Amino acid sequence: YQALLSSYNALKKEVSEAKEYVKSYKSDLDRIKERSQNLNAELTEKVNVDAGKRLLPILDNFEKSFAMEASDASEKGFRMIFNQLQKVLEHLKIKQYEVTEEFNPQHMEAVFVEPTDDAEQDGKVAKVLQNGYFYEPTEKVVRPVMVSVYSKQ
């Protein structure tokens, strides 16, 4: 009977140790999975933001060309390419900032100051000089909005 009890206790101890090992192993796997997901998200953000930064100057040039006189056919062609570029940015989750009259230093850069006598206009956006963009999932600034700002004289 003693030998049987001793064997039982030894097996019970081994099962307990095995359970602890499995618990520890599962915990390690969970940490690895979480770290892998974080690295994947960071890499996706970096690649998309970089691609967006490279595409934005092309988009800017199209916007400038729309302001010039051109034939209907060439403007139509430019618009088609412009729309395709916008779809690529959308796919990359690069979004354009909606600009309000309130200056937001988090995603705006004031490059000019325009004088005003109106105290209520002081510090507000006078004009958008260049659109700004952000990476939607993390709201990381890809390019700030370039603006001119009113300043009370």
Side-chain angles (χ1 to χ4, degrees):
Y1 173 77
Q2 253 342 1
L4 192 57
L5 186 58
S6 179
S7 291
Y8 170 76
N9 287 333
L11 285 173
K12 189 175 175 181
K13 182 179 177 187
E14 282 182 40
V15 166
S16 177
E17 288 171 356
K19 283 182 180 179
E20 284 301 313
Y21 177 77
V22 167
K23 189 190 278 185
S24 172
Y25 184 73
K26 184 181 180 316
S27 177
D28 288 346
L29 283 177
D30 289 343
R31 281 193 299 275
I32 290 169
K33 181 181 176 184
E34 182 180 341
R35 184 161 184 252
S36 174
Q37 288 171 340
N38 290 341
L39 287 173
N40 188 31
E42 287 174 19
L43 182 61
T44 299
E45 175 185 27
K46 183 172 176 32
V47 167
N48 287 0
V49 167
D50 186 55
K53 283 181 180 179
R54 292 170 189 260
L55 289 171
L56 289 176
I58 299 167
L59 204 66
D60 294 338
N61 288 334
F62 275 108
E63 287 176 337
K64 289 174 191 171
S65 75
F66 295 145
M68 298 177 196
E69 277 193 42
S71 71
D72 286 341
S74 65
E75 184 175 342
K76 214 177 220 182
F78 282 143
R79 288 255 177 231
M80 287 170 51
I81 297 167
F82 180 78
N83 291 336
Q84 286 176 319
L85 281 171
Q86 285 183 315
K87 286 180 182 174
V88 169
L89 289 173
E90 189 177 304
H91 176 75
L92 295 172
K93 297 182 177 140
I94 306 292
K95 303 290 183 187
Q96 183 176 326
Y97 282 112
E98 295 291 327
V99 179
T100 63
E101 66 177 23
E102 293 297 321
F103 179 77
N104 183 338
Q106 299 292 325
H107 64 266
M108 292 180 178
E109 192 172 312
V111 293
F112 290 111
V113 174
E114 294 193 24
T116 183
D117 294 329
D118 186 354
E120 287 184 26
Q121 291 293 320
D122 190 40
K124 296 195 186 234
V125 173
K127 185 172 18 175
V128 174
L129 304 171
Q130 188 176 50
N131 291 321
Y133 294 83
F134 65 100
Y135 180 63
E136 188 176 38
T138 61
E139 297 188 15
K140 179 180 179 160
V141 176
V142 175
R143 181 178 73 193
V145 183
M146 302 294 180
V147 297
S148 62
V149 179
Y150 288 117
S151 178
K152 179 134 173 52
Q153 298 298 319

